[in-house]
Amino acid sequence: MDMNNLPTSLQQLGNMSVEYMLDMFRENMVPVESFFANYRCAIMEIETKFNVLNERFSIKYDDNPIESIKSRVKELDSIIKKAMKKNIPITLESIEKNIKDIAGVRVICSFEQDIYTLAEQFLEQDDITLLEKKDYIKEPKPNGYRSLHLIVSVPIFTEEGKKDIPVEVQLRTIAMDFWASLEHKMRYKKNISREMQAELADKLHSCATDSAELDKSMQEIRNSLLENKE
Ligand code: 0O2
């Protein structure tokens, strides 16, 4: 978003005709709309890839590894806050270059092992480029957060040609997702005392340990069932 063309004061705004102002805003909105459309298209590409993997899995293993897929494009205000935090210029070019989680796809599985199988098969695809990987399952965050994060780039085909778009893919089990959404709610809760915050953080940490145990036990049961089937 190039802020240079926008009026910088109320007085400047007041001196413009409504028509002129609308034209100016429309003109400035086109690149912004196209910017967000790119990320929506990249999400569609990634979702399709996971839906295809889910379908293929069900043929081979008679099982669907994916429980659900949730996607989102980061809101403009969150993007601007992140750009300010990173101290980068607030222009579309700079945001595109420096912020890699504008498009986010969250893949929720029942079993931990499926996360790794899906990730491997997804990353094997020749139009997917891995930019960054963070395995918070093998090494959970200090608060107990677990998930596998992949930042990938995927090509989309626009009227101007091929464009590689970054997407953050988070793969989690149902238990990890349940924990993360509760922790997220607590993080944004205002009006709770420091003592209570510390107490809840402790409880959440022990829930994270319990949920990791639960994932492990469920995986063991499933492995036994699979062995018996064979
Ligand atoms: P939202 O609203 O989900 O988009 P960076 O993204 O590089 O600036 P960081 O922390 O290095 O920052 O990235 P990281 O660790 O890969 O985390 C990025 C995203 O993972 C977060 O996005 C969350 O979605 C999720 N996440 C990471 N840590 C936690 C955690 O402790 N609790 C919960 N609930 N989610 C977490 P955003 O942009 O913070 O939020």
Side-chain angles (χ1 to χ4, degrees):
M1 195 179 350
D2 190 352
M3 298 298 188
N4 296 336
N5 297 333
L6 296 174
T8 52
S9 70
L10 280 176
Q11 194 189 350
Q12 256 182 305
L13 261 178
N15 292 338
M16 292 173 183
S17 76
V18 174
E19 271 314 304
Y20 178 80
M21 257 164 51
L22 285 176
D23 278 351
M24 193 185 59
F25 279 111
R26 268 186 218 115
E27 207 177 286
N28 276 285
M29 282 314 286
V30 172
V32 177
E33 276 163 10
S34 161
F35 173 88
F36 281 108
N38 287 345
Y39 291 99
R40 286 196 297 273
C41 293
I43 284 176
M44 287 182 221
E45 297 283 355
I46 300 289
E47 280 185 349
T48 301
K49 285 180 180 294
F50 279 104
N51 284 325
V52 169
L53 284 173
N54 201 32
E55 190 66 32
R56 300 303 309 173
F57 236 79
S58 69
I59 294 166
K60 191 163 175 196
Y61 302 106
D62 194 19
D63 201 2
N64 287 109
I66 299 178
E67 283 298 323
S68 60
I69 301 179
K70 301 176 200 166
S71 302
R72 63 106 184 90
V73 175
K74 226 180 182 53
E75 299 280 343
L76 185 59
D77 58 344
S78 306
I79 296 175
I80 291 177
K81 272 186 208 147
K82 190 156 190 173
M84 287 164 78
K85 204 167 123 198
K86 281 177 164 257
N87 209 11
I88 57 163
I90 316 280
T91 63
L92 289 182
E93 295 71 28
S94 139
I95 288 169
E96 203 173 278
K97 192 166 149 229
N98 295 294
I99 302 185
K100 305 289 182 200
D101 66 342
I102 294 173
V105 176
R106 195 168 282 160
V107 181
I108 321 285
C109 301
S110 298
F111 299 102
E112 203 173 293
Q113 188 52 50
D114 290 345
I115 290 177
Y116 290 102
T117 312
L118 277 172
E120 196 185 322
Q121 294 185 5
F122 169 68
L123 292 173
E124 266 170 11
Q125 301 184 12
D126 60 10
D127 53 349
I128 291 291
T129 309
L130 179 65
L131 304 176
E132 201 181 318
K133 178 175 170 181
K134 290 185 197 164
D135 191 343
Y136 295 125
I137 300 175
K138 296 233 155 67
E139 282 185 49
K141 284 198 167 181
N143 62 0
Y145 176 80
R146 296 182 306 135
S147 278
L148 177 66
H149 290 194
L150 308 171
I151 300 205
V152 298
S153 118
V154 63
I156 61 160
F157 295 87
T158 71
E159 59 291 355
E160 284 146 21
K162 183 176 141 185
K163 204 164 163 49
D164 289 314
I165 305 292
V167 179
E168 182 184 67
V169 181
Q170 298 181 347
L171 295 115
R172 309 172 163 171
T173 61
I174 299 170
M176 293 173 198
D177 191 50
F178 186 24
W179 183 94
S181 56
L182 187 59
E183 194 272 349
H184 189 265
K185 274 187 199 129
M186 192 198 81
R187 203 160 357 135
Y188 289 100
K189 200 92 196 149
K190 307 271 183 254
N191 307 328
I192 49 173
S193 66
R194 273 179 188 275
E195 294 76 44
M196 185 151 178
Q197 257 179 25
E199 193 187 317
L200 292 180
D202 269 356
K203 277 193 176 160
L204 270 168
H205 193 273
S206 78
C207 282
T209 313
D210 293 346
S211 88
E213 276 304 313
L214 179 68
D215 274 339
K216 202 166 146 233
S217 305
M218 303 281 262
Q219 183 71 57
E220 282 165 6
I221 295 172
R222 193 230 207 168
N223 290 350
S224 304
L225 290 175
L226 283 176
E227 272 165 30
N228 253 338
K229 208 173 161 191
E230 281 154 17

